[in-house]
Structures are given as C-alpha cells and as structure tokens.
Amino acid sequence: MSKKPIIVFEGIEGSGKSYHLNHVCKYLKNKRISFIKVREPGGNINAEKIRKLILDKKSNFNKNTDLLLYLASRSENISLLRKNYKKKIILIDRFTDSTIAYQHFGLGVNLKIINQINKFLLGGMNINFTFLNIVNKNNMIKRLNKRKKLNRYDKFNSIFYDRVQKGFLRIAKKNKSKYLIIDSNSDIKMNKKKIIEKLNKII
Ligand code: TMP
C-alpha cells in the first residue's frame, strides 16, 4: 500500500461519514502527521460556489446538469489534489464513488459517461482506500430529522437513498481489498477503533 494515500469517506446521508472523517483528522493532528482534507462538492473557493448552486433548495437542474456540476466542482479540486498527490495524505469527504452511486444508481445517468469524465479528470491519480459508511433506513431518517438545514440532496425519499446505498455496496464488492464497510448502526466506539486500525495500516 502506498504511503501518503488518497483516502475517501463515502456513504449516504446520515451514515456518519463526516463524523468519522473528522475523527481521523483529529487523530492525525494529534500524531502530527500532515494531511489535507477536501470535501466534495466543494473544497475550494470556486468549487464551493458550484456546491452552493447545486445544493440550493431553489435549484431544479436536471440530472445531467447535476452530473456536470458535480464534475465541474471536482475539476476545480484536481490541481490541489495533484499538488499533494503522494506528498501528503489526502482525505476526501465524498469523491468519484458518490457520483456513480447518486447520479448513476440513484438517478440513472449513463455510467460510461461518468467513468470517462472521472478518468479524464483524475488523469492517473488513484484512490488507495475507501471507508464506506452504511446506515439503515430508520437511523438515516432520525439523523436527517436532527439536521437544522436540509439541502436539495437531503430531500429525496428513502427509496432513493436505498438505491444509492446499494449502489455504493456494489461498487465496494467489485474491489473488496480497497474498501472497509463501516456499519453505523453498530457501536460507534468500535467503528472508530476499526477505522484507526485500518488507517494505521494504510498510511
Ligand atoms: P454532503 O451532504 O456529504 O456534503 O454531500 C452533498 C450531496 O451531494 C450529497 O447528497 C451527495 C451529493 N453528491 C452527488 O450526488 N454526486 C457527487 O458526485 C457528489 C460528490 C455528491
């Protein structure tokens, strides 16, 4: 496993991915290990502008426009990722798998197009490892209800999120050695421990 890997946190709304990513950041800071953290959509000034546009509750873009906007946001992150690739650990809150899970499995956009543009944007950079966080329907709804601000993508029905989560699981199954599935319905302390143990093996 390469040192200074790209590590991605994926999962549907309420799956705990951002919580675990933040925990990993604290862990690395305490150990004085340098890293960068990026979120998608967003991550820098231009990409955050695109994020606002996509997730604004008043937006009603069609699914292809959404795809292109998510990819446009990614495109704005690529130079930062390239600059740090293999020099620092790169942690990403959602990345290419989210596009496949949401736009293809969730919304039915053509997979080939998504793969082609992702390949074009990444230009040879590889994701080394992904923590895929999963959640059951009841817990997802409970956690979404607790959020003060809901964005446009927080408002699909649970059938949609179920499709997206199954999509994530299908992606992970194809490349088992590069994924760890974290079941957020089980004990959170145990999950944190599992993630840190794995992290220590891959950094
Ligand atoms: P967040 O809530 O994790 O910040 O993500 C915002 C939403 O964007 C989330 O519902 C997933 C969605 N999304 C896509 O649909 N496609 C993508 O490529 C990415 C990165 C996010």
Side-chain angles (χ1 to χ4, degrees), residues 75-93:
S75 168
E76 286 296 318
N77 277 328
I78 292 300
S79 56
L80 175 72
L81 300 185
R82 204 173 298 290
K83 202 172 103 192
N84 289 285
Y85 186 52
K86 299 221 160 123
K87 294 193 185 89
K88 276 186 189 170
I89 296 168
I90 300 177
L91 303 175
I92 316 182
D93 189 339

PDB file of all heavy atoms in Angstrom, residues 75-93:
ATOM      1  N   SER A  75     -13.418  19.137 -10.883  1.00  0.00           N
ATOM      2  CA  SER A  75     -12.378  19.686 -11.748  1.00  0.00           C
ATOM      3  C   SER A  75     -11.622  20.824 -11.045  1.00  0.00           C
ATOM      4  O   SER A  75     -10.404  20.968 -11.203  1.00  0.00           O
ATOM      5  CB  SER A  75     -13.032  20.180 -13.038  1.00  0.00           C
ATOM      6  OG  SER A  75     -12.145  20.941 -13.776  1.00  0.00           O
ATOM      7  N   GLU A  76     -12.353  21.597 -10.256  1.00  0.00           N
ATOM      8  CA  GLU A  76     -11.716  22.705  -9.527  1.00  0.00           C
ATOM      9  C   GLU A  76     -10.813  22.208  -8.397  1.00  0.00           C
ATOM     10  O   GLU A  76     -10.003  22.954  -7.883  1.00  0.00           O
ATOM     11  CB  GLU A  76     -12.781  23.662  -8.975  1.00  0.00           C
ATOM     12  CG  GLU A  76     -13.427  24.526 -10.038  1.00  0.00           C
ATOM     13  CD  GLU A  76     -12.423  25.477 -10.702  1.00  0.00           C
ATOM     14  OE1 GLU A  76     -11.595  26.068 -10.001  1.00  0.00           O
ATOM     15  OE2 GLU A  76     -12.470  25.605 -11.938  1.00  0.00           O
ATOM     16  N   ASN A  77     -10.985  20.944  -7.979  1.00  0.00           N
ATOM     17  CA  ASN A  77     -10.147  20.400  -6.896  1.00  0.00           C
ATOM     18  C   ASN A  77      -8.899  19.703  -7.398  1.00  0.00           C
ATOM     19  O   ASN A  77      -7.985  19.429  -6.622  1.00  0.00           O
ATOM     20  CB  ASN A  77     -10.943  19.360  -6.081  1.00  0.00           C
ATOM     21  CG  ASN A  77     -11.816  20.028  -5.044  1.00  0.00           C
ATOM     22  OD1 ASN A  77     -11.452  21.073  -4.523  1.00  0.00           O
ATOM     23  ND2 ASN A  77     -12.947  19.433  -4.760  1.00  0.00           N
ATOM     24  N   ILE A  78      -8.886  19.387  -8.689  1.00  0.00           N
ATOM     25  CA  ILE A  78      -7.852  18.479  -9.181  1.00  0.00           C
ATOM     26  C   ILE A  78      -6.440  19.039  -9.002  1.00  0.00           C
ATOM     27  O   ILE A  78      -5.534  18.312  -8.591  1.00  0.00           O
ATOM     28  CB  ILE A  78      -8.118  18.078 -10.659  1.00  0.00           C
ATOM     29  CG1 ILE A  78      -9.374  17.207 -10.730  1.00  0.00           C
ATOM     30  CG2 ILE A  78      -6.921  17.354 -11.276  1.00  0.00           C
ATOM     31  CD1 ILE A  78      -9.334  15.911  -9.947  1.00  0.00           C
ATOM     32  N   SER A  79      -6.251  20.343  -9.252  1.00  0.00           N
ATOM     33  CA  SER A  79      -4.876  20.858  -9.141  1.00  0.00           C
ATOM     34  C   SER A  79      -4.373  20.750  -7.700  1.00  0.00           C
ATOM     35  O   SER A  79      -3.198  20.431  -7.469  1.00  0.00           O
ATOM     36  CB  SER A  79      -4.779  22.285  -9.667  1.00  0.00           C
ATOM     37  OG  SER A  79      -5.693  23.084  -8.998  1.00  0.00           O
ATOM     38  N   LEU A  80      -5.265  20.976  -6.727  1.00  0.00           N
ATOM     39  CA  LEU A  80      -4.867  20.835  -5.321  1.00  0.00           C
ATOM     40  C   LEU A  80      -4.508  19.373  -5.013  1.00  0.00           C
ATOM     41  O   LEU A  80      -3.510  19.082  -4.344  1.00  0.00           O
ATOM     42  CB  LEU A  80      -6.020  21.285  -4.403  1.00  0.00           C
ATOM     43  CG  LEU A  80      -5.788  21.092  -2.917  1.00  0.00           C
ATOM     44  CD1 LEU A  80      -4.765  22.099  -2.404  1.00  0.00           C
ATOM     45  CD2 LEU A  80      -7.089  21.237  -2.128  1.00  0.00           C
ATOM     46  N   LEU A  81      -5.326  18.466  -5.524  1.00  0.00           N
ATOM     47  CA  LEU A  81      -5.061  17.047  -5.278  1.00  0.00           C
ATOM     48  C   LEU A  81      -3.745  16.633  -5.941  1.00  0.00           C
ATOM     49  O   LEU A  81      -2.923  15.948  -5.348  1.00  0.00           O
ATOM     50  CB  LEU A  81      -6.204  16.177  -5.807  1.00  0.00           C
ATOM     51  CG  LEU A  81      -7.599  16.429  -5.200  1.00  0.00           C
ATOM     52  CD1 LEU A  81      -8.598  15.420  -5.741  1.00  0.00           C
ATOM     53  CD2 LEU A  81      -7.559  16.352  -3.684  1.00  0.00           C
ATOM     54  N   ARG A  82      -3.553  17.102  -7.171  1.00  0.00           N
ATOM     55  CA  ARG A  82      -2.348  16.735  -7.899  1.00  0.00           C
ATOM     56  C   ARG A  82      -1.094  17.263  -7.180  1.00  0.00           C
ATOM     57  O   ARG A  82      -0.089  16.585  -7.075  1.00  0.00           O
ATOM     58  CB  ARG A  82      -2.409  17.293  -9.326  1.00  0.00           C
ATOM     59  CG  ARG A  82      -1.532  16.522 -10.296  1.00  0.00           C
ATOM     60  CD  ARG A  82      -1.721  16.975 -11.730  1.00  0.00           C
ATOM     61  NE  ARG A  82      -3.060  16.775 -12.238  1.00  0.00           N
ATOM     62  CZ  ARG A  82      -3.599  15.592 -12.516  1.00  0.00           C
ATOM     63  NH1 ARG A  82      -2.919  14.497 -12.319  1.00  0.00           N
ATOM     64  NH2 ARG A  82      -4.826  15.493 -12.987  1.00  0.00           N
ATOM     65  N   LYS A  83      -1.208  18.491  -6.677  1.00  0.00           N
ATOM     66  CA  LYS A  83      -0.069  19.110  -5.989  1.00  0.00           C
ATOM     67  C   LYS A  83       0.361  18.288  -4.762  1.00  0.00           C
ATOM     68  O   LYS A  83       1.534  18.202  -4.434  1.00  0.00           O
ATOM     69  CB  LYS A  83      -0.488  20.523  -5.557  1.00  0.00           C
ATOM     70  CG  LYS A  83       0.663  21.458  -5.325  1.00  0.00           C
ATOM     71  CD  LYS A  83       0.202  22.872  -5.106  1.00  0.00           C
ATOM     72  CE  LYS A  83       0.263  23.210  -3.627  1.00  0.00           C
ATOM     73  NZ  LYS A  83      -0.417  24.449  -3.296  1.00  0.00           N
ATOM     74  N   ASN A  84      -0.628  17.699  -4.110  1.00  0.00           N
ATOM     75  CA  ASN A  84      -0.332  16.964  -2.867  1.00  0.00           C
ATOM     76  C   ASN A  84      -0.249  15.450  -3.044  1.00  0.00           C
ATOM     77  O   ASN A  84       0.062  14.733  -2.091  1.00  0.00           O
ATOM     78  CB  ASN A  84      -1.415  17.284  -1.825  1.00  0.00           C
ATOM     79  CG  ASN A  84      -1.274  18.699  -1.328  1.00  0.00           C
ATOM     80  OD1 ASN A  84      -0.378  18.987  -0.549  1.00  0.00           O
ATOM     81  ND2 ASN A  84      -2.121  19.597  -1.826  1.00  0.00           N
ATOM     82  N   TYR A  85      -0.546  14.990  -4.248  1.00  0.00           N
ATOM     83  CA  TYR A  85      -0.602  13.544  -4.516  1.00  0.00           C
ATOM     84  C   TYR A  85       0.736  12.892  -4.181  1.00  0.00           C
ATOM     85  O   TYR A  85       1.781  13.321  -4.680  1.00  0.00           O
ATOM     86  CB  TYR A  85      -0.956  13.327  -5.994  1.00  0.00           C
ATOM     87  CG  TYR A  85      -1.198  11.881  -6.387  1.00  0.00           C
ATOM     88  CD1 TYR A  85      -2.095  11.080  -5.686  1.00  0.00           C
ATOM     89  CD2 TYR A  85      -0.539  11.314  -7.478  1.00  0.00           C
ATOM     90  CE1 TYR A  85      -2.331   9.765  -6.057  1.00  0.00           C
ATOM     91  CE2 TYR A  85      -0.777  10.000  -7.863  1.00  0.00           C
ATOM     92  CZ  TYR A  85      -1.668   9.239  -7.143  1.00  0.00           C
ATOM     93  OH  TYR A  85      -1.916   7.932  -7.502  1.00  0.00           O
ATOM     94  N   LYS A  86       0.671  11.900  -3.297  1.00  0.00           N
ATOM     95  CA  LYS A  86       1.856  11.131  -2.840  1.00  0.00           C
ATOM     96  C   LYS A  86       2.823  11.978  -2.001  1.00  0.00           C
ATOM     97  O   LYS A  86       3.898  11.506  -1.641  1.00  0.00           O
ATOM     98  CB  LYS A  86       2.600  10.499  -4.014  1.00  0.00           C
ATOM     99  CG  LYS A  86       1.715   9.519  -4.790  1.00  0.00           C
ATOM    100  CD  LYS A  86       2.451   8.277  -5.189  1.00  0.00           C
ATOM    101  CE  LYS A  86       1.452   7.209  -5.472  1.00  0.00           C
ATOM    102  NZ  LYS A  86       1.388   6.569  -6.648  1.00  0.00           N
ATOM    103  N   LYS A  87       2.473  13.238  -1.730  1.00  0.00           N
ATOM    104  CA  LYS A  87       3.339  14.047  -0.860  1.00  0.00           C
ATOM    105  C   LYS A  87       2.734  14.138   0.526  1.00  0.00           C
ATOM    106  O   LYS A  87       3.429  14.189   1.540  1.00  0.00           O
ATOM    107  CB  LYS A  87       3.519  15.449  -1.448  1.00  0.00           C
ATOM    108  CG  LYS A  87       4.285  15.440  -2.766  1.00  0.00           C
ATOM    109  CD  LYS A  87       4.721  16.845  -3.178  1.00  0.00           C
ATOM    110  CE  LYS A  87       5.380  16.810  -4.543  1.00  0.00           C
ATOM    111  NZ  LYS A  87       4.379  16.978  -5.639  1.00  0.00           N
ATOM    112  N   LYS A  88       1.402  14.215   0.553  1.00  0.00           N
ATOM    113  CA  LYS A  88       0.700  14.266   1.841  1.00  0.00           C
ATOM    114  C   LYS A  88      -0.458  13.281   1.782  1.00  0.00           C
ATOM    115  O   LYS A  88      -0.958  12.993   0.682  1.00  0.00           O
ATOM    116  CB  LYS A  88       0.091  15.661   2.049  1.00  0.00           C
ATOM    117  CG  LYS A  88       1.022  16.662   2.617  1.00  0.00           C
ATOM    118  CD  LYS A  88       0.283  17.943   2.920  1.00  0.00           C
ATOM    119  CE  LYS A  88       1.281  19.032   3.293  1.00  0.00           C
ATOM    120  NZ  LYS A  88       0.627  20.333   3.369  1.00  0.00           N
ATOM    121  N   ILE A  89      -0.912  12.852   2.945  1.00  0.00           N
ATOM    122  CA  ILE A  89      -2.132  12.045   2.974  1.00  0.00           C
ATOM    123  C   ILE A  89      -3.277  12.953   2.507  1.00  0.00           C
ATOM    124  O   ILE A  89      -3.372  14.110   2.942  1.00  0.00           O
ATOM    125  CB  ILE A  89      -2.419  11.555   4.411  1.00  0.00           C
ATOM    126  CG1 ILE A  89      -1.311  10.623   4.881  1.00  0.00           C
ATOM    127  CG2 ILE A  89      -3.790  10.890   4.501  1.00  0.00           C
ATOM    128  CD1 ILE A  89      -1.362  10.315   6.369  1.00  0.00           C
ATOM    129  N   ILE A  90      -4.109  12.453   1.628  1.00  0.00           N
ATOM    130  CA  ILE A  90      -5.256  13.246   1.154  1.00  0.00           C
ATOM    131  C   ILE A  90      -6.537  12.558   1.624  1.00  0.00           C
ATOM    132  O   ILE A  90      -6.774  11.388   1.294  1.00  0.00           O
ATOM    133  CB  ILE A  90      -5.257  13.364  -0.391  1.00  0.00           C
ATOM    134  CG1 ILE A  90      -3.971  14.050  -0.879  1.00  0.00           C
ATOM    135  CG2 ILE A  90      -6.499  14.125  -0.878  1.00  0.00           C
ATOM    136  CD1 ILE A  90      -3.843  14.155  -2.406  1.00  0.00           C
ATOM    137  N   LEU A  91      -7.321  13.288   2.415  1.00  0.00           N
ATOM    138  CA  LEU A  91      -8.591  12.741   2.892  1.00  0.00           C
ATOM    139  C   LEU A  91      -9.716  13.450   2.131  1.00  0.00           C
ATOM    140  O   LEU A  91      -9.734  14.684   2.063  1.00  0.00           O
ATOM    141  CB  LEU A  91      -8.767  13.014   4.390  1.00  0.00           C
ATOM    142  CG  LEU A  91      -7.660  12.490   5.314  1.00  0.00           C
ATOM    143  CD1 LEU A  91      -7.921  12.963   6.740  1.00  0.00           C
ATOM    144  CD2 LEU A  91      -7.591  10.965   5.268  1.00  0.00           C
ATOM    145  N   ILE A  92     -10.634  12.686   1.584  1.00  0.00           N
ATOM    146  CA  ILE A  92     -11.712  13.318   0.807  1.00  0.00           C
ATOM    147  C   ILE A  92     -13.075  12.851   1.313  1.00  0.00           C
ATOM    148  O   ILE A  92     -13.340  11.650   1.454  1.00  0.00           O
ATOM    149  CB  ILE A  92     -11.604  13.021  -0.709  1.00  0.00           C
ATOM    150  CG1 ILE A  92     -10.155  13.168  -1.200  1.00  0.00           C
ATOM    151  CG2 ILE A  92     -12.513  13.971  -1.493  1.00  0.00           C
ATOM    152  CD1 ILE A  92      -9.968  12.943  -2.700  1.00  0.00           C
ATOM    153  N   ASP A  93     -13.907  13.851   1.630  1.00  0.00           N
ATOM    154  CA  ASP A  93     -15.287  13.604   2.049  1.00  0.00           C
ATOM    155  C   ASP A  93     -16.131  13.539   0.774  1.00  0.00           C
ATOM    156  O   ASP A  93     -16.483  14.571   0.226  1.00  0.00           O
ATOM    157  CB  ASP A  93     -15.714  14.779   2.943  1.00  0.00           C
ATOM    158  CG  ASP A  93     -17.047  14.539   3.627  1.00  0.00           C
ATOM    159  OD1 ASP A  93     -17.836  13.705   3.145  1.00  0.00           O
ATOM    160  OD2 ASP A  93     -17.308  15.212   4.649  1.00  0.00           O
TER     161      ASP A  93
END
